């Protein structure tokens, strides 16, 4: 096997894919967004972070993971007041990603992971994973990257909770600074946590609120930030990136051998 293409799904020929299926690597699909991320970060944050994480994990996994080309756009209608954002409608995104997982399952791959870089994709990807399980023979699961390293992130966190780590925040800015500080305009970073205080409704990547609601963003954020990017640093980003990559490596290994029971129709003959 050519090592330079060992983890890129699309670098193989079809006869090679046919052979590869026999080894059952976990197929990973990164999904990001082109979206405003405050005045200090470019539009590519979600794409850049999730693809960097997936690439690094794939390199370390040495053949156990196969990386699909990323889906670079996400569900964004609530962000469209900010120039530059690209929105894919929720039904479109659901069907588009489901068409990809169905295709992968059709070729015989039995483990598919949806690797999300953008919070608002998650409810849709959850449904895609469920439909893939119900409609194909493959097992499919979805995650958003901060969930893979909760402990490590909490250790470096300085911003208030909830609210300090939500969007273009201490967390995303730190990881971007670590991966490519030259594209971050830290002098323009500002803290903004503008959602009304509530016992039930808040936004934070590290702790979901008990009641779920998403308003149009320009109503509660004027900079495009929810969180505190002024506390970000490349050192924190390095710790977080390493922990998330390690988490993904572990997840892929576990998911590859994740056991499934035998399905049985209980209508006939069952007592
Ligand atoms: Zn983001």
């Amino acid at each position: 096997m050519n090592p330079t293409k060992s983890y890129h799904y699309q670098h193989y020929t079809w006869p090679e894919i046919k052979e590869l299926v026999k080894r059952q690597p976990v197929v990973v699909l990164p999904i990001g967004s082109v979206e405003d991320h405050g005045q200090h970060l470019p539009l590519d944050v979600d794409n850049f972070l999730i693809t960097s994480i997936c690439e690094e994990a794939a390199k370390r996994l040495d053949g156990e993971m196969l990386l699909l080309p990323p889906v670079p756009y996400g569900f964004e209608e609530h962000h469209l007041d900010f120039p530059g954002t690209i929105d894919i409608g929720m039904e479109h995104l659901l069907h588009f990603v489901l068409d990809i997982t169905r295709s992968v399952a059709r070729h015989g791959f039995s483990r598919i992971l949806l690797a999300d870089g953008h919070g608002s994709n998650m409810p849709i990807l959850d449904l895609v994973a469920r439909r893939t399980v119900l409609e194909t023979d493959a097992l499919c699961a979805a995650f958003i990257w901060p969930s893979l390293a909760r402990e490590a992130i909490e250790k470096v966190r300085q911003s208030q909770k909830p609210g300090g780590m939500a969007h273009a925040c201490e967390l995303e800015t730190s990881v971007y600074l670590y991966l490519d500080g030259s594209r971050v305009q830290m002098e323009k970073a500002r803290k903004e946590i503008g959602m009304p205080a509530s016992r039930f409704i808040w936004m934070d990547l590290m702790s979901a609120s008990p009641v779920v609601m998403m308003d149009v963003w320009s109503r509660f954020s004027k900079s495009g930030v929810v969180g505190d990017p002024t506390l970000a640093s490349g050192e924190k980003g390095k710790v977080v990136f390493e922990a998330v990559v390690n988490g993904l490596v572990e997840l892929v290994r576990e998911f590859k051998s994740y056991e499934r029971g035998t399905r049985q129709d209980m209508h006939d003959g069952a007592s």
Side-chain angles (χ1 to χ4, degrees):
M1 206 67 69
N2 182 342
T4 58
K5 63 177 180 181
S6 62
Y7 64 86
H8 288 291
Y9 183 97
Q10 64 180 345
H11 287 181
Y12 289 96
T13 64
W14 72 259
E16 287 170 337
I17 288 284
K18 195 174 154 187
E19 281 306 303
L20 253 180
V21 169
K22 294 173 188 164
R23 295 203 338 243
Q24 286 296 333
V26 175
V27 179
V28 177
L29 174 64
I31 298 131
S33 78
V34 174
E35 173 195 46
D36 66 286
H37 274 80
Q39 292 164 4
H40 65 294
L41 287 168
L43 302 176
D44 77 341
V45 174
D46 297 342
N47 282 331
F48 183 46
L49 268 49
I50 195 62
T51 52
S52 300
I53 289 161
C54 288
E55 292 254 352
E56 188 56 33
K59 280 177 199 160
R60 296 182 193 183
L61 275 158
D62 197 25
E64 290 168 274
M65 169 174 162
L66 209 47
L67 189 60
L68 284 164
V71 174
Y73 303 114
F75 169 51
E76 294 285 354
E77 193 170 346
H78 48 297
H79 276 272
L80 281 179
D81 289 335
F82 292 91
T85 301
I86 305 288
D87 171 50
I88 304 297
M90 60 178 88
E91 294 90 354
H92 277 133
L93 186 66
L94 191 153
H95 287 119
F96 189 86
V97 179
L98 184 59
D99 283 347
I100 296 170
T101 60
R102 275 188 186 138
S103 304
V104 169
R106 163 80 191 272
H107 303 312
F109 293 101
S110 65
R111 296 289 183 276
I112 305 167
L113 283 176
L114 305 175
D116 187 22
H118 167 58
S120 292
N121 289 340
M122 268 314 283
I124 296 161
L125 298 181
D126 178 15
L127 291 175
V128 170
R130 284 165 179 245
R131 283 192 58 176
T132 305
V133 167
L134 295 173
E135 297 170 22
T136 77
D137 292 329
L139 198 56
C140 181
F143 68 89
I144 187 161
W145 63 263
S147 308
L148 299 183
R150 288 184 185 284
E151 267 180 41
I153 293 170
E154 295 299 354
K155 267 191 200 155
V156 297
R157 180 176 188 148
Q158 289 177 292
S159 56
Q160 70 186 68
K161 194 175 175 182
M165 285 187 168
H167 181 75
C169 52
E170 183 189 11
L171 183 64
E172 286 189 318
T173 307
S174 292
V175 179
Y176 209 120
L177 279 171
Y178 170 59
L179 293 173
D180 189 353
S182 70
R183 299 212 299 262
V184 183
Q185 302 176 59
M186 272 311 275
E187 69 283 1
K188 295 180 183 167
R190 70 159 110 138
K191 176 183 176 183
E192 186 175 8
I193 303 172
M195 287 178 75
S198 164
R199 229 186 98 196
F200 301 103
I201 300 168
W202 62 78
M203 196 189 303
D204 197 286
L205 283 163
M206 302 312 298
S207 67
S209 64
V211 175
V212 179
M213 187 198 73
M214 185 61 74
D215 202 350
V216 173
W217 269 60
S218 60
R219 293 186 187 278
F220 57 83
S221 174
K222 301 307 172 192
S223 64
V225 169
V226 173
D228 191 355
T230 65
L231 296 171
S233 73
E235 293 73 44
K236 282 181 193 171
K238 184 180 193 316
V239 171
V240 171
F241 182 80
E242 278 298 319
V244 173
V245 168
N246 287 337
L248 180 51
V249 166
E250 212 175 303
L251 169 65
V252 166
R253 289 197 173 127
E254 187 197 290
F255 198 56
K256 191 173 187 300
S257 53
Y258 191 91
E259 281 183 34
R260 301 181 88 179
T262 309
R263 189 172 180 179
Q264 188 183 347
D265 189 335
M266 302 297 185
H267 292 83
D268 298 318
S271 53

